[in-house]
C-alpha cells in the first residue's frame, strides 16, 4: 500500500506541477502575445475603380477587388449562411473551438468536410493581422489561439463578423462579400437572395474550384451548397419549408479583366500619371479604394479611333503615327484622344508623349501676340518670297509671293514671310510669351525663341498642348489647364474635385480677332478640308519642312481638337497615293471626321464678330516681285533651321519594336517655313485685290 500511495502522491505532485507550469506558460504567452496593431496589406486593401466621365461606366480597376461594407448592409440571412457554413457556434464560443479542431481532423480523414476546423475569429486573426504566417506549426497555431481569445474578449462579435466578411477571399478575384456579390451575381450585397448567400458561403471553402464549376466540380459545388442550406435550417436561419423552396442559384458569367489593349491602356496610363502628380502614390491607387472619375467620354474616345482608322488609307506605313486630342474650352477637360494603334504594342502616346514641330499651327500665337500688343487685323506685313533676315532666305511655300497682306490674309494663306516680318516688328519675346500664356511650356520654346523662324513653328509641342492652347481662343482668352481627372473619392466618401478655374491670358478682343482670322483658314484658306457645313470652325494648318510633321488644330465654341501626323524616325510623312502630306489633307480630314461625330446633336454656336477688321481697308502696299526687304537687328538671329536631331523636345518615340529609330534624320534645310499652298489653281498669282474707288477690296467683312 505504501509504495502505491507514494506513487500517487508523486504523480499528483507531478501533475500539479505540470498544471502550474502550463498555467504559468499560458500566462507568459498571454502576456507576450498582444493583438497586433497592424493589419496585412492584402486584408484591408481596396482597389481603385476608374470611371469614364459619367461616373458610372467602368474604365479600369487597379489593385485588389474589394469594397468594404458595414455589417448592416449585409442581409441577416446572408450572414447566417456564412455562420452556418464556417462556424455555427460563432455567437456562443470564446473565439476558439477545440471541438471544431477535432471535427476538422475527422472531416479531413473521412473526406466529408462540412465545416472548417477554425472559428470565424481564428480565420479572421490569421488573415487580418500582421505577424501571422500561413505555415503549419505549433507555435503559429498557439499564437493564433492567444490572439483569437484576446480579440473575442476585446471586440464585439459583430465587429469580428464584419471584418471577416470584408476580408475573406471568394474566388473570381473578389475579396469581401460586396465584391463577391458583384462577381457572381451582378448585384450589390444588399440584394443577395438566401440561395445566393448560401452559395457565397459555400465558395469560402474552395474559392478556386467553385468560382466557375463544371462537371464533377459543379456536382461538388451543388452538394456543398445543399449542406450550407441544411446548416441554415439547423441554426434557424431559414425554416425547412423555406429551404425546400430554395434552388441552386444561376451564376453569372465571369467578367473578363478589362483589357489594356487599344486606347484603354493609354487612358489608364494618363490617369495614373495625373493621380501621381496630384499626390496619390501607387500604393494609394492599389490599396485605398479610390473612386476616380476621369474626363474621358466613352463615345468620343471611340470616335477618335474611328476617325483615324477610317481616314488613313490602307498601306499607311507603320512608322507613320497619328495623334488626336480634344479639350473642352470651358474647363480644360480632355474629353477624348487617340494615343496610337494599340497600347499593348506600343506604350508611346501620340497625343500626350509625342512632341513634334508645330509648323504653321504656331502662327496662331504670333497672331495673338500682335493683337495683344495692340496691332489690328488690318495691319499689313511683307508677303513676298523670299525674305532675308541677316542674310538667310526665308521663303513661302512654293516660293509664292503675296505682296502686302493684312493679318487675316497672312493667316488665311499661311504666309511665312508675313509672320517673320511680324516677329521682327513686335519682337520674338512677345510671341514666346503668348505661346506660354496659351499653355505651351517655356522649356519647349527656350532654344528657339531667338530664331527669326520662331513664328513659323520650329518648336515642338504635343497634340494635347495644342488642343489646350487653341481652347484658350475658343474660351475668349481664358486658359484652362488640360487635365484627365474630374474627381477622386476616397474610401471614406470624401471627394476631391479638380480645380477648373481658368485664368485670363488674352483680352477678349484678342481671342475674338484671332478666331476670326482662323475662321478664314477653314472657309477659304489652307484648311477647307476641315469645314463643317452646319457650324463655324476656326483653325490652322501646319506643315514642317519636308512634311516631317503635319497638323490641323481647330475649334468650335464647344470643343478644341488638335490632330498631328509624324513618323517615328522624323523622316517625311508620305502616304501611298498622297506623297508628302500637308496639314490641310489627312490631318484636316481626321479632324473633320471626329468633329462630325462630336458635334452631332450639339447646338450651333457662333463666334463673335471681329473687333479690328473693317470693310474698307485701303492701306495696301504691294512691292514688285523683285523687291526684297532686309532686316537687321542688334543681335544676329540664328539661321532659320528647325529643331536639330537630338533636341530633347523633339525626340521621336521608340520604334514599333520598342527600340530607338534605326536612323537619325538629317537636319532640315528650310527652317520650317514650308506650309500649305493657298487653295487656288495658281497660288503664285494670288494677290490681294487692289483698292478701287467704286469697287471695295474683296475681303471678309466684320461688323465692328
Amino acid at each position: 500500500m505504501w509504495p502505491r500511495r507514494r506513487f500517487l502522491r508523486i504523480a499528483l505532485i507531478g501533475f500539479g506541477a505540470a498544471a502550474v507550469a502550463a498555467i504559468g506558460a499560458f500566462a507568459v504567452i498571454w502576456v507576450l502575445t498582444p493583438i497586433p496593431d497592424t493589419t496585412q496589406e492584402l486584408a484591408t486593401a481596396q482597389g481603385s475603380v476608374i470611371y469614364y466621365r459619367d461616373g458610372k461606366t467602368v474604365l479600369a480597376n487597379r489593385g485588389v477587388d474589394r469594397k468594404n461594407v458595414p455589417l448592416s448592409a449585409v442581409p441577416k440571412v446572408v450572414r447566417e449562411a456564412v455562420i452556418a457554413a464556417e462556424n455555427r457556434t460563432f455567437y456562443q464560443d470564446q473565439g476558439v473551438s477545440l471541438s471544431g479542431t477535432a471535427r476538422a481532423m475527422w472531416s479531413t480523414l473521412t473526406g466529408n468536410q462540412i465545416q472548417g476546423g477554425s472559428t470565424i475569429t481564428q480565420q479572421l486573426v490569421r488573415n487580418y493581422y500582421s505577424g501571422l504566417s500561413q505555415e503549419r506549426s505549433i507555435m503559429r497555431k498557439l499564437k493564433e489561439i492567444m490572439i483569437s481569445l484576446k480579440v473575442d474578449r476585446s471586440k464585439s462579435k459583430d465587429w469580428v463578423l464584419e471584418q471577416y466578411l470584408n476580408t475573406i477571399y471568394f474566388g473570381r478575384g473578389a475579396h469581401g462579400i460586396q465584391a463577391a456579390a458583384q462577381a457572381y451575381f451582378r448585384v450589390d450585397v444588399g440584394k443577395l437572395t438566401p440561395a445566393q448567400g448560401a452559395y457565397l458561403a459555400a465558395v469560402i471553402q474552395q474559392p478556386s474550384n467553385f468560382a466557375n464549376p463544371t462537371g464533377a466540380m459543379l456536382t461538388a459545388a451543388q452538394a456543398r451548397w445543399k449542406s450550407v442550406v441544411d446548416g441554415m435550417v439547423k441554426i434557424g436561419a431559414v425554416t425547412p419549408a423555406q429551404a425546400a423552396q430554395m434552388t441552386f442559384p444561376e451564376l453569372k458569367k465571369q467578367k473578363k479583366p478589362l483589357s489594356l489593349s487599344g486606347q484603354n491602356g493609354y487612358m489608364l496610363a494618363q490617369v495614373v500619371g495625373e493621380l501621381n502628380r496630384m499626390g496619390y502614390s501607387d500604393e494609394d491607387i492599389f490599396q485605398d479604394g479610390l473612386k476616380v472619375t476621369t474626363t474621358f467620354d466613352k463615345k468620343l474616345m471611340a470616335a477618335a479611333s474611328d476617325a483615324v482608322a477610317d481616314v488613313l488609307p490602307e498601306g499607311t506605313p507603320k512608322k507613320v503615327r497619328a495623334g488626336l486630342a480634344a479639350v473642352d474650352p470651358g474647363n480644360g477637360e480632355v474629353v477624348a484622344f487617340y494615343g496610337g494603334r494599340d497600347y499593348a504594342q506600343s506604350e508611346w502616346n501620340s497625343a500626350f508623349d509625342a512632341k513634334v514641330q508645330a509648323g504653321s499651327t504656331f502662327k496662331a500665337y504670333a497672331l495673338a501676340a500682335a493683337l495683344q500688343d495692340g496691332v489690328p487685323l488690318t495691319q499689313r506685313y511683307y508677303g513676298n518670297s523670299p525674305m532675308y533676315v541677316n542674310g538667310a532666305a526665308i521663303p513661302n511655300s512654293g516660293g509664292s509671293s503675296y505682296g502686302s497682306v493684312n493679318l487675316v490674309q497672312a493667316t488665311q494663306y499661311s504666309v511665312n514671310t508675313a509672320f517673320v516680318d511680324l516677329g521682327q516688328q513686335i519682337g520674338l519675346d512677345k510671341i514666346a510669351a503668348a505661346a506660354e500664356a496659351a499653355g505651351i511650356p517655356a522649356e519647349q520654346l527656350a532654344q528657339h525663341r531667338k530664331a527669326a523662324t520662331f513664328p513659323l513653328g520650329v518648336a515642338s509641342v504635343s497634340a494635347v498642348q495644342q488642343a489646350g492652347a487653341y481652347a484658350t481662343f475658343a474660351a475668349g482668352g481664358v486658359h484652362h489647364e488640360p487635365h484627365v481627372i474630374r474627381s477622386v473619392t476616397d474610401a471614406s466618401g470624401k471627394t476631391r474635385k479638380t480645380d477648373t478655374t481658368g485664368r485670363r491670358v488674352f483680352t477678349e478682343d484678342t481671342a475674338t480677332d484671332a478666331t476670326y482670322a482662323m475662321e478664314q483658314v477653314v472657309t477659304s484658306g489652307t484648311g477647307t478640308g476641315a469645314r463643317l457645313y452646319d457650324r463655324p470652325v476656326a483653325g490652322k494648318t501646319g506643315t514642317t519642312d519636308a512634311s516631317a510633321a503635319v497638323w490641323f488644330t481647330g475649334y468650335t465654341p464647344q470643343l478644341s481638337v488638335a490632330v498631328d501626323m509624324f513618323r517615328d524616325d522624323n523622316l517625311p510623312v508620305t502616304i501611298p497615293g498622297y506623297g508628302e502630306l500637308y496639314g490641310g489633307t489627312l490631318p484636316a480630314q481626321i479632324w473633320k471626321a471626329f468633329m462630325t461625330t462630336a458635334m452631332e446633336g450639339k447646338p450651333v454656336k457662333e463666334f463673335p464678330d471681329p473687333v479690328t477688321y473693317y470693310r474698307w481697308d485701303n492701306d495696301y502696299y504691294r512691292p514688285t516681285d523683285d523687291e526684297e526687304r532686309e532686316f537687321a537687328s542688334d543681335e544676329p538671329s540664328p539661321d532659320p533651321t528647325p529643331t536639330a536631331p537630338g533636341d530633347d523636345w523633339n525626340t521621336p518615340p521608340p520604334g514599333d519594336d520598342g527600340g530607338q529609330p534605326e536612323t537619325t534624320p538629317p537636319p532640315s534645310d528650310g527652317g520650317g517655313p514650308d506650309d500649305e499652298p493657298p487653295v487656288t489653281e495658281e497660288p503664285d498669282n494670288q494677290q490681294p485685290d487692289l483698292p478701287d474707288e467704286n469697287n471695295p477690296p474683296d475681303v471678309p467683312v466684320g461688323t465692328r
Side-chain angles (χ1 to χ4, degrees):
M1 294 292 294
W2 289 107
R4 183 180 300 173
R5 289 178 180 176
R6 185 176 181 183
F7 174 77
L8 289 174
R9 186 182 301 114
I10 294 172
L12 288 172
I13 293 171
F15 180 79
V20 170
I23 293 172
F26 182 88
V28 171
I29 296 173
W30 179 268
V31 171
L32 296 178
T33 311
I35 299 176
D37 56 5
T38 58
T39 58
Q40 299 177 32
E41 285 187 0
L42 184 60
T44 57
Q46 297 182 70
S48 296
V49 184
I50 300 170
Y51 298 87
Y52 284 96
R53 67 185 291 108
D54 62 8
K56 298 177 181 178
T57 307
V58 176
L59 190 162
N61 294 286
R62 301 299 286 168
V64 177
D65 183 13
R66 173 187 283 114
K67 176 64 176 178
N68 288 340
V69 293
L71 188 63
S72 59
V74 183
K76 188 171 184 291
V77 70
V78 176
R79 300 180 231 163
E80 291 174 331
V82 173
I83 290 171
E86 294 297 314
N87 183 190
R88 293 176 191 169
T89 62
F90 171 69
Y91 277 102
Q92 292 78 43
D93 62 38
Q94 303 301 310
V96 175
S97 174
L98 297 178
S99 62
T101 302
R103 184 171 59 250
M105 294 176 63
W106 174 255
S107 297
T108 301
L109 290 173
T110 60
N112 184 30
Q113 186 172 353
I114 296 178
Q115 279 190 268
S118 299
T119 64
I120 285 176
T121 307
Q122 287 176 269
Q123 291 182 58
L124 173 68
V125 165
R126 182 165 60 248
N127 296 313
Y128 185 77
Y129 289 109
S130 299
L132 281 172
S133 66
Q134 297 293 326
E135 65 176 339
R136 295 178 179 273
S137 70
I138 294 176
M139 289 304 298
R140 189 208 62 79
K141 193 67 176 177
L142 185 59
K143 190 175 181 181
E144 175 191 303
I145 291 171
M146 292 294 115
I147 296 174
S148 297
L149 290 169
K150 286 192 172 186
V151 167
D152 189 75
R153 288 167 61 89
S154 62
K155 304 287 187 181
S156 71
K157 288 289 188 180
D158 284 352
W159 182 90
V160 172
L161 185 59
E162 178 180 307
Q163 307 314 311
Y164 177 80
L165 291 174
N166 283 318
T167 301
I168 202 71
Y169 180 61
F170 286 89
R172 291 195 175 189
H175 295 259
I177 191 74
Q178 168 63 17
Q182 286 287 345
Y184 285 89
F185 303 111
R186 304 283 195 279
V187 297
D188 286 332
V189 64
K191 296 183 178 180
L192 287 172
T193 66
Q196 292 170 337
Y199 188 80
L200 294 183
V203 165
I204 294 173
Q205 186 190 78
Q206 299 185 61
S208 298
N209 291 333
F210 292 170
N212 295 287
T214 57
M217 195 54 66
L218 176 59
T219 301
Q222 292 169 335
R224 173 64 176 162
W225 175 83
K226 181 64 169 60
S227 72
V228 172
V229 173
D230 291 342
M232 293 170 70
V233 173
K234 289 181 180 179
I235 66 172
V238 294
T239 66
Q242 289 172 327
Q245 295 296 318
M246 292 168 61
T247 58
F248 189 77
E250 178 184 356
L251 307 182
K252 297 293 185 181
K253 186 177 181 181
Q254 183 174 359
K255 285 184 177 180
K256 294 181 179 179
L258 290 168
S259 172
L260 294 185
S261 61
Q263 300 304 300
N264 288 350
Y266 294 118
M267 285 189 283
L268 182 59
Q270 291 306 313
V271 169
V272 171
E274 189 159 307
L275 284 171
N276 291 157
R277 292 190 294 275
M278 292 171 67
Y280 295 97
S281 66
D282 288 344
E283 289 75 15
D284 296 332
I285 299 169
F286 277 86
Q287 300 176 15
D288 285 1
L290 304 178
K291 176 184 176 181
V292 181
T293 302
T294 71
T295 62
F296 304 132
D297 184 297
K298 188 174 183 179
K299 175 186 174 183
L300 295 187
M301 285 296 302
S305 294
D306 290 344
V308 174
D310 293 345
V311 171
L312 292 187
E314 292 185 11
T316 298
K318 286 187 176 181
K319 285 189 176 294
V320 172
R321 295 180 181 261
L324 180 153
V327 173
D328 186 332
N331 51 31
E333 292 182 350
V334 181
V335 297
F337 70 91
Y338 177 79
R341 295 182 183 90
D342 191 343
Y343 183 82
Q345 297 177 10
S346 173
E347 297 180 8
W348 185 263
N349 190 322
S350 297
F352 286 83
D353 300 332
K355 296 178 179 66
V356 295
Q357 285 186 330
S360 289
T361 57
F362 198 85
K363 290 172 182 173
Y365 313 129
L367 173 64
L371 294 169
Q372 192 74 6
D373 200 42
V375 176
L377 286 174
T378 52
Q379 181 68 37
R380 296 189 160 276
Y381 293 95
Y382 182 79
N384 278 359
S385 179
M387 176 179 178
Y388 290 89
V389 180
N390 295 318
I394 302 174
N396 288 324
S397 177
S400 302
S401 290
Y402 302 89
S404 173
V405 292
N406 60 39
L407 280 175
V408 173
Q409 295 160 328
T411 305
Q412 182 178 9
Y413 299 122
S414 202
V415 182
N416 293 329
T417 55
F419 278 95
V420 172
D421 187 4
L422 180 156
Q424 295 296 305
Q425 292 195 39
I426 70 169
L428 299 176
D429 285 345
K430 290 180 180 178
I431 297 175
E436 291 174 34
I440 307 301
E443 58 267 26
Q444 292 171 218
L445 308 174
Q447 76 175 83
H448 310 288
R449 58 192 302 160
K450 298 299 182 183
T453 53
F454 181 56
L456 307 184
V458 293
S460 296
V461 294
S462 70
V464 74
Q465 288 172 347
Q466 286 282 72
Y470 272 58
T472 305
F473 299 117
V478 177
H479 178 69
H480 298 82
E481 196 65 26
H483 58 280
V484 302
I485 293 176
R486 301 189 87 183
S487 65
V488 181
T489 302
D490 63 23
S492 69
K494 183 178 179 181
T495 299
R496 173 183 175 185
K497 294 184 178 180
T498 298
D499 182 8
T500 58
T501 304
R503 69 181 190 280
R504 178 162 293 284
V505 297
F506 301 134
T507 66
E508 191 170 351
D509 287 355
T510 291
T512 295
D513 278 0
T515 295
Y516 179 77
M518 287 188 278
E519 277 189 89
Q520 312 318 307
V521 173
V522 180
T523 56
S524 57
T526 61
T528 55
R531 186 185 302 163
L532 299 177
Y533 293 97
D534 65 335
R535 66 189 67 234
V537 170
K540 186 70 188 73
T541 52
T543 306
T544 64
D545 272 354
S547 300
V550 290
W551 291 82
F552 183 80
T553 304
Y555 54 93
T556 65
Q558 299 103 313
L559 194 61
S560 175
V561 180
V563 176
D564 64 353
M565 293 180 64
F566 56 94
R567 283 179 59 98
D568 291 355
D569 48 17
N570 277 354
L571 294 178
V573 180
T574 58
I575 305 292
Y578 287 81
E580 291 187 3
L581 293 185
Y582 289 111
T585 55
L586 294 183
Q589 293 173 35
I590 292 173
W591 189 95
K592 179 177 181 177
F594 171 77
M595 286 294 278
T596 298
T597 299
M599 292 291 102
E600 186 177 4
K602 298 291 190 300
V604 176
K605 293 187 177 182
E606 301 290 337
F607 292 118
D609 293 323
V611 179
T612 65
Y613 201 61
Y614 308 100
R615 177 185 295 275
W616 299 101
D617 180 12
N618 296 319
D619 182 21
Y620 275 81
Y621 166 72
R622 177 187 292 277
T624 60
D625 288 343
D626 59 350
E627 271 188 305
E628 297 174 354
R629 284 175 68 189
E630 294 193 16
F631 292 83
S633 59
D634 294 337
E635 296 182 10
S637 298
D639 290 338
T641 56
T643 306
D647 174 12
D648 290 341
W649 293 107
N650 193 31
T651 302
D656 288 336
D657 61 355
Q660 292 296 322
E662 296 179 1
T663 60
T664 300
S668 173
D669 59 359
D674 286 346
D675 204 352
E676 297 76 45
V679 185
T680 59
E681 293 182 0
E682 298 180 344
D684 287 348
N685 298 325
Q686 180 75 24
Q687 303 289 347
D689 293 336
L690 290 172
D692 187 281
E693 218 169 45
N694 299 316
N695 296 296
D698 183 18
V699 295
V701 178
T703 59
R704 288 186 288 168

